[in-house]
Amino acid sequence: MLLSRLSRPKALAVCAVPVVALLGVAVFAPLPFAVAEPGPTTNVLGDSKGKPVIEISGAPTRDTSGKLRMVTIVATGPDSDVSLGDVVDSWFRTDRAVMPRDAVYPTGNTSKEIEQHNLGEMKKSQDSATAAALGYLGKNPAEVKVNLQLGDVGGPSAGLFFSLGIVDKLDGNGSGGDLTGGRSIAGTGTITPDGTVGAVGGVSLKTQAAWRDGAKVFLVPKAECSDATAESPKGLRLIPVTTLKGAVTALNSLNTGKGTVPSC
């Protein structure tokens, strides 16, 4: 055999060649991961692309102050190649996260299919958010019409904040004031028609997006408290919630200084 006729140093060198070659291929070969980072935030009490995010007819609405910022993450597309170098670089950064591609894009194989799926999820989220908010306020859905739009943002994670925005525009804090107390409040969470708040994923990145855009308070699904605290910016107050009613109660307690405000 060739190795038996080589000195030890030369033999090691020969063995190292294929290892180095394999490492070189691994560095540049695409891997089944997606790299995510903090995305844009949108004030649901304001406008998006020149149109109100929340439009209500059939009931009187109120002017609001403060902001309710729904937050997003952005990830490499399903057709993007993520290499070992990208994974290693992102692994040591707090403003990026590496996730299995199937966890980010569980449905569809093309960007178009995934976009359609995410927009469908957003529409379901909007319907649930409207039902939850009107149910909480005791409003008749047949009389009060709500139109929600958020450009090309997809997914269900804005549900809680759509509901809070509807509540603030219709009822505020219930005593003539703003639900926000004039603050910039950010957060995330899915919502069901009965007002139950669910987990969303990517919370550690979303807290960074919230802080970057000026929020000092962040509402987080209670089940994701540990994820939220992992990379939460210092000074950002985390408030865990499980229901729309609980979120409203927590914000009112925060504004009045009465009652207990939960924390992660």
Side-chain angles (χ1 to χ4, degrees), residues 90-114:
S90 301
W91 192 267
F92 293 100
R93 293 177 56 167
T94 59
D95 61 343
R96 287 188 180 179
V98 179
M99 296 179 281
R101 187 176 296 177
D102 290 345
V104 181
Y105 302 110
T107 302
N109 297 314
T110 68
S111 296
K112 187 64 177 177
E113 289 173 344
I114 290 167

Side-chain angles (χ1 to χ4, degrees), residues 17-102:
V17 170
V19 174
V20 171
L22 287 172
L23 288 175
V25 171
V27 168
F28 297 104
L31 299 174
F33 295 107
V35 176
E37 60 187 1
T41 70
T42 301
N43 174 26
V44 300
L45 297 175
D47 295 345
S48 175
K49 296 186 176 180
K51 296 181 179 180
V53 175
I54 300 174
E55 291 182 302
I56 301 174
S57 59
T61 58
R62 52 187 304 281
D63 293 331
T64 60
S65 65
K67 296 176 180 178
L68 287 170
R69 288 197 171 277
M70 54 81 58
V71 293
T72 65
I73 60 174
V74 292
T76 51
D79 303 323
S80 300
D81 290 337
V82 175
S83 69
L84 179 61
D86 297 323
V87 172
V88 172
D89 176 61
S90 301
W91 192 267
F92 293 100
R93 293 177 56 167
T94 59
D95 61 343
R96 287 188 180 179
V98 179
M99 296 179 281
R101 187 176 296 177
D102 290 345

Side-chain angles (χ1 to χ4, degrees), residues 42 48-49 51 53 119 122 126 148-154:
T42 301
S48 175
K49 296 186 176 180
K51 296 181 179 180
V53 175
L119 291 177
M122 172 62 86
Q126 293 173 343
L148 303 172
Q149 74 87 29
L150 198 56
D152 55 1
V153 175

